[in-house]
Amino acid sequence: MFMGAKIFTGVVFGLIGLSFLATTGTLMAEYWRDGWFSLATFYSHLFLFFPTFGIVALFAFFTPSCVFLDMYWRHVPYGRVRFVIGFVVVVGLAVLAAHGLASSKERSVWEVKPGVLSTDAGEPAGCMGQEGQCERLAIMTAVDNVRAVSQLRIGLSDLARNCSPDPLVEVAALPQARRFCFATTIYRSNPPLLSDQECCRAQHKFSDAVRSLYAAEDNRSLTSKVHRWLLPFKTFFLLILVAISLMLAAWRNTIELHYAEFLRPIERGVMIGAVAMLFFPVMNHAFLQSAVLLYGGGENSSYRTPAPLFSFAFGTWALLLVFFFYRRRNKEVEALGRIGGLIASAIAIVKYDLIIDFFVRIAGTGAEPANIGIIVVLALAALVGLYYKTADELDADGPTPEDAIGPASSD
């Protein structure tokens, strides 16, 4: 039965991993000559996280998922029925979530064909060749604008605009600070600065322009179609990691009773997977910080509006997972690990904005090719750490997991 669990999990996780690679691969192929790297770094939470740390999380949760499936199939009362029902429910939730995200009124730049984007000349047409600023820059020029500035400074949050002031709060009598507007002006030394009202108007024009181009079916990119088809795999991935980790924690005693030989790889996989998933909320917020400079507020976005909640939920889940699954035999090491986790959590809370600013530069819209290389190396190092065993661990493991589980029971 354990071999069946491995085959089923391998097929499901394999399809998810291929979906991660397919979306980014399609973007690279379609926009190779039209700014694919600028788009990939701007939307790094989608095109950089999933094919790197997302795949790490798949490998990390492979053994825990196999044990989870085998446990439900063999040791949990009515486990087979409960597993099938739970699996169908998660798939349904993933499809519904994907449909909600894909139906957003706000459209992404990469959802428009590169040939169509190249014809956009801003508003008024040809304004970029004139002195002064446009009412709205050309779409890809504006994206490159954000990238150029983010490579020169750490963080862009202080350049964001408040386009939806609270109606219950009086506007200050003092004049607003004028800032550089990414949607109207190509960056240069001593650029003209605009008020919030002027820049918000340009941001609305930018969002409307992307949505208008996307509206025509013939203008939609292949990447947008592939993303829509494969988005359920990504939402299923996020949901299933949370579900499996919660179930493993709930059935901890059963796992210790029937799968004692697997406790070490389960703990290692959960910890490495949780750390890998911590990059999702950080890279997600790096995207949000860049997007607000061009789109303004996320009132029309079914993703950007709830995204901070998603980030908080997954960040909290990952930190708690590390905390509760860190149960080494050495009590001193366990105590040090938990104390270190608490300290890291406290630093993350106090310096969260600084962390996001830093990630915008190294893993967001300001990233250089070398930074992406480092991300890939870190992901590969995590995979090596997932399967590397010291001599002491090999001796402690004793028989192989397959021998420890033995043949499937007849029930």
Side-chain angles (χ1 to χ4, degrees), residues 52-128:
T52 54
F53 294 114
I55 289 180
V56 169
L58 283 175
F59 276 94
F61 276 89
F62 178 76
T63 297
S65 300
C66 291
V67 170
F68 167 79
L69 173 55
D70 191 76
M71 177 188 68
Y72 260 76
W73 215 254
R74 301 172 63 185
H75 301 293
V76 175
Y78 305 103
R80 300 181 182 187
V81 175
R82 293 164 68 176
F83 174 82
V84 172
I85 293 175
F87 186 82
V88 172
V89 169
V90 173
V91 169
L93 290 175
V95 172
L96 288 175
H99 175 74
L101 293 173
S103 61
S104 175
K105 293 181 180 179
E106 181 180 289
R107 309 313 311 185
S108 300
V109 174
W110 49 267
E111 293 185 286
V112 181
K113 287 181 179 179
V116 176
L117 288 175
S118 64
T119 63
D120 178 50
E123 298 179 19
C127 63
M128 293 185 297

Side-chain angles (χ1 to χ4, degrees), residues 18-316:
L18 289 175
S19 74
F20 294 170
L21 297 173
T23 307
T24 300
T26 304
L27 176 82
M28 294 176 63
E30 186 172 19
Y31 291 87
W32 185 256
R33 298 178 181 274
D34 299 278
W36 77 268
F37 194 79
S38 295
L39 293 174
T41 53
F42 191 96
Y43 299 93
S44 60
H45 67 300
L46 176 62
F47 296 112
L48 296 185
F49 169 79
F50 284 104
T52 54
F53 294 114
I55 289 180
V56 169
L58 283 175
F59 276 94
F61 276 89
F62 178 76
T63 297
S65 300
C66 291
V67 170
F68 167 79
L69 173 55
D70 191 76
M71 177 188 68
Y72 260 76
W73 215 254
R74 301 172 63 185
H75 301 293
V76 175
Y78 305 103
R80 300 181 182 187
V81 175
R82 293 164 68 176
F83 174 82
V84 172
I85 293 175
F87 186 82
V88 172
V89 169
V90 173
V91 169
L93 290 175
V95 172
L96 288 175
H99 175 74
L101 293 173
S103 61
S104 175
K105 293 181 180 179
E106 181 180 289
R107 309 313 311 185
S108 300
V109 174
W110 49 267
E111 293 185 286
V112 181
K113 287 181 179 179
V116 176
L117 288 175
S118 64
T119 63
D120 178 50
E123 298 179 19
C127 63
M128 293 185 297
Q130 305 171 2
E131 292 295 330
Q133 68 262 356
C134 300
E135 295 178 12
R136 173 189 65 81
L137 285 176
I139 294 172
M140 281 304 298
T141 301
V143 172
D144 291 334
N145 216 21
V146 177
R147 175 167 173 76
V149 175
S150 62
Q151 289 178 318
L152 300 175
R153 67 202 313 266
I154 300 297
L156 305 172
S157 57
D158 57 329
L159 298 177
R161 309 293 182 138
N162 181 15
C163 296
S164 301
D166 191 336
L168 302 180
V169 178
E170 181 183 8
V171 178
L174 295 176
Q176 293 180 340
R178 300 174 70 84
R179 300 178 179 88
F180 176 72
C181 185
F182 293 85
T184 63
T185 312
I186 299 176
Y187 177 77
R188 59 181 183 272
S189 59
N190 298 319
L193 306 180
L194 273 65
S195 67
D196 285 357
Q197 183 179 8
E198 293 171 313
C199 191
C200 289
R201 186 162 49 246
Q203 290 171 344
H204 286 308
K205 286 180 176 291
F206 179 91
S207 181
D208 290 342
V210 177
R211 183 167 57 250
S212 176
L213 291 177
Y214 173 83
E217 185 72 29
D218 292 342
N219 289 349
R220 298 176 185 179
S221 66
L222 176 61
T223 305
S224 71
K225 298 174 183 177
V226 171
H227 172 70
R228 181 180 287 268
W229 295 333
L230 300 181
L231 184 57
F233 287 92
K234 295 180 177 65
T235 53
F236 176 81
F237 162 75
L238 297 175
L239 291 174
I240 204 67
L241 289 192
V242 174
I244 289 174
S245 59
L246 292 177
M247 290 298 100
L248 289 176
W251 292 93
R252 177 82 190 204
N253 292 335
T254 302
I255 293 174
E256 291 180 345
L257 176 63
H258 297 286
Y259 303 95
E261 294 83 358
F262 288 86
L263 286 179
R264 190 186 299 272
I266 287 175
E267 289 180 351
R268 178 179 293 190
V270 167
M271 290 182 63
I272 291 178
V275 172
M277 289 302 298
L278 281 175
F279 285 88
F280 176 69
V282 177
M283 295 177 78
N284 190 40
H285 272 277
F287 156 70
L288 294 176
Q289 189 178 116
S290 300
V292 75
L293 301 175
L294 294 182
Y295 289 91
E299 296 84 0
N300 294 324
S301 174
S302 61
Y303 179 78
R304 284 204 296 138
T305 301
L309 179 60
F310 296 157
S311 296
F312 175 78
F314 273 96
T316 303

